[in-house]
Amino acid sequence: MTVQTFIPSAVKAASENTVTQPTHTTDVSIKKLYIETQGCQMNEYDSHRMADLLGDSHGYVLTDNPNDADILLMNTCSIREKAQEKVFSGLGRWRKLKEQNPDLVIGVGGCVASQEGDNIQKRAPYVDMVFGPQTLHRLPQMLDQHQAQVEKPKKEKIKLVDISFPDIEKFDFLPEPRVEGFKAFVSIMEGCSKYCSFCVVPYTRGEEVSRPLDDVLAEIAGLAEKGVREISLLGQNVNGYRGETFEGEICTFPELLRLVAEIPGIGRLRYTTSHPLEFSDDLIQCYRDLPQMVSHLHLPVQSGSNDVLQAMKRNHTIDVYIDKIAKLRKVRPDMHLSSDFIIGFPGETDEHFAETLQFIKDLDFDHSYSFVYSKRPGTPASDLPDSTPEQVKKDRLAQVQQVIKQSSIDKTDAMLGKIERVLIEKVSDKDPNVLVGTADNTRLVTFIGDATWVGRFAEIEITEIKTLNLVYGELLNLEPDVA
Ligand code: SAH
Ligand code: F3S
């Protein structure tokens, strides 16, 4: 779990422009917003949107220094207990800032907000606003309401808590996304209806709701016009996408991919996260038909044991997963596969764990994420008996992570001599003759080239492995600009 200070590069660039956008350090009249983002890519996406919203509605500019901000927003994660604990320790630090500056506004959003609601203000009364992942678009109004009652005596103030799930209206109220560079995230659906027995997401983000097809396509076409070349479609369960078309029909995820691939300018397509159950043959065919689809798939499986999968309510067996990956590798032999694993789920025996370890080795995963199971209140798994000592779980996790790490190293090493398709993203900070891009498998690739090539795709032969995430190469072919 990462805690990040969120500063989109467009804002950084804006604050570097001292003529129109003086930086926070020089101009006290500019109102400043600090956002701390915890958790998944959905939260990162949401934080970007919060910044856009408050920038457009109230003129807030992002700062990377909480001491300097007029508003502090914490976009929280409750997927594991540890992540949730961070919220209150972080808020404790912000309380001190509020003691020094009583005008400071503190807001808590994201999944902990959704789960705890007004309990947040019971534990941390200095928090002014609580909003959920589906109500962040109401932040400007909430802020107005807050400002309107600042002067009122405490007992007359209404509590500003809005953690409802108002369908998909969020997207109708968000400003057009700002473009930074050549890559963009596009949220296509919200929530999850899978109800895996360990997971809080269906409760904190609500059931699956898909954005209408035309909205998604229009957003992507707009991004492509502004120079975006790589799109990552986002959702908790993207392959459950069922977006309504203009004619009132339903568009599936593979159909959406085919339509996105037709948009001029979109040279590369990623998505996260998908579920094995809905990883359909039609989706596999997209990998055969659409060159824009990267040879990289993150497909969470959670365990390599059928007993554990059943207890997790994943609704599929290991064989189903193995078969789908085999089919996929038939149409894309160079497929890089990554996954999520939960270790020490209640009832996981040594044998179950051994099956998981073997499964990880057999499937030849690239980088994967693994965590010890964390009991989440309100989830069905929280009632399961769990007699495995914590230390045993930690030891198992260490073994899994070692295998995963070695596998990542092997995958990077195997790139030597191969040809990778790379999106050229920038000129190296260190050398103006060197370009930096990303391969399908997300490794950074550097090579000698011309600054005018930035934003285009190139075939690069890998000539040297530098680190786990950095390789050097030589240009073989520069693709024409896809726009
Ligand atoms: N939509 C994704 C998962 C989203 S949650 C899917 O299809 O599986 C991201 C990851 O967090 C999960 O894949 C899981 O590995 C991990 N996770 C979720 N709940 C957890 C819990 N209670 N304890 C430990 N890890 C958990
Ligand atoms: Fe969670 Fe399972 Fe959905 S892990 S996000 S309930 S697919």
Side-chain angles (χ1 to χ4, degrees), residues 51-66:
D52 290 349
L53 262 176
L54 290 178
D56 280 11
S57 65
H58 289 70
Y60 281 93
V61 168
L62 279 168
T63 170
D64 56 357
N65 179 4

Side-chain angles (χ1 to χ4, degrees), residues 247-364:
E247 292 79 27
E249 283 161 11
I250 293 299
C251 174
T252 64
F253 185 57
E255 286 164 355
L256 172 68
L257 289 171
R258 289 176 198 279
L259 292 169
V260 174
E262 278 175 27
I263 296 175
I266 299 305
R268 196 187 246 176
L269 264 174
R270 301 182 186 275
Y271 58 84
T272 193
T273 312
S274 50
H275 191 287
L277 208 58
E278 280 154 320
F279 203 84
S280 62
D281 285 348
D282 198 9
L283 181 48
I284 292 172
Q285 291 316 317
C286 288
Y287 284 91
R288 190 197 57 190
D289 302 339
L290 307 176
Q292 292 95 333
M293 306 268 298
V294 285
S295 290
H296 182 269
L297 170 68
H298 182 70
L299 189 61
V301 63
Q302 316 297 355
S303 171
S305 148
N306 279 331
D307 291 345
V308 177
L309 283 187
Q310 196 177 9
M312 287 176 163
K313 296 214 164 53
R314 293 289 288 181
N315 289 321
H316 68 84
T317 59
I318 283 307
D319 283 345
V320 167
Y321 191 93
I322 293 173
D323 284 352
K324 291 189 183 204
I325 297 306
K327 275 188 188 166
L328 183 65
R329 284 186 166 147
K330 229 179 202 160
V331 297
R332 281 284 178 100
D334 60 342
M335 195 62 158
H336 279 250
L337 179 67
S338 70
S339 198
D340 290 346
F341 294 93
I342 296 180
I343 304 303
F345 188 75
E348 183 191 73
T349 62
D350 284 342
E351 290 73 32
H352 294 142
F353 175 67
E355 283 171 13
T356 298
L357 210 53
Q358 191 56 47
F359 174 81
I360 295 175
K361 290 176 185 163
D362 291 347
L363 271 265
D364 198 22

Side-chain angles (χ1 to χ4, degrees), residues 79-80 192 196 198-201 235-237 273-276 300 302 314 340-342 369 371-376:
I79 201 87
R80 283 170 289 273
C192 184
C196 301
F198 52 83
C199 184
V200 289
V201 169
Q236 289 297 342
N237 184 23
T273 312
S274 50
H275 191 287
Q302 316 297 355
R314 293 289 288 181
D340 290 346
F341 294 93
I342 296 180
Y369 300 91
F371 297 95
V372 165
Y373 166 72
S374 171
K375 186 171 171 165
R376 304 313 294 129

Side-chain angles (χ1 to χ4, degrees), residues 336 366-367 405-420 441 443-444 461-472:
H336 279 250
D366 189 359
H367 181 73
K405 185 162 183 215
Q406 188 55 51
S407 176
S408 275
I409 294 170
D410 293 346
K411 292 279 160 300
T412 307
D413 287 348
M415 291 170 78
L416 192 66
K418 295 241 169 78
I419 296 165
E420 297 285 338
N441 65 12
R443 266 62 165 191
L444 291 177
E461 183 177 348
I462 305 305
T463 52
E464 193 181 337
I465 307 299
K466 227 25 216 175
T467 65
L468 180 61
N469 194 36
L470 175 66
V471 298
Y472 293 173

Side-chain angles (χ1 to χ4, degrees), residues 420-432:
E420 297 285 338
R421 183 169 185 255
V422 167
L423 171 60
I424 308 171
E425 292 187 47
K426 59 173 196 168
V427 176
S428 161
D429 298 335
K430 293 182 194 135
D431 184 342

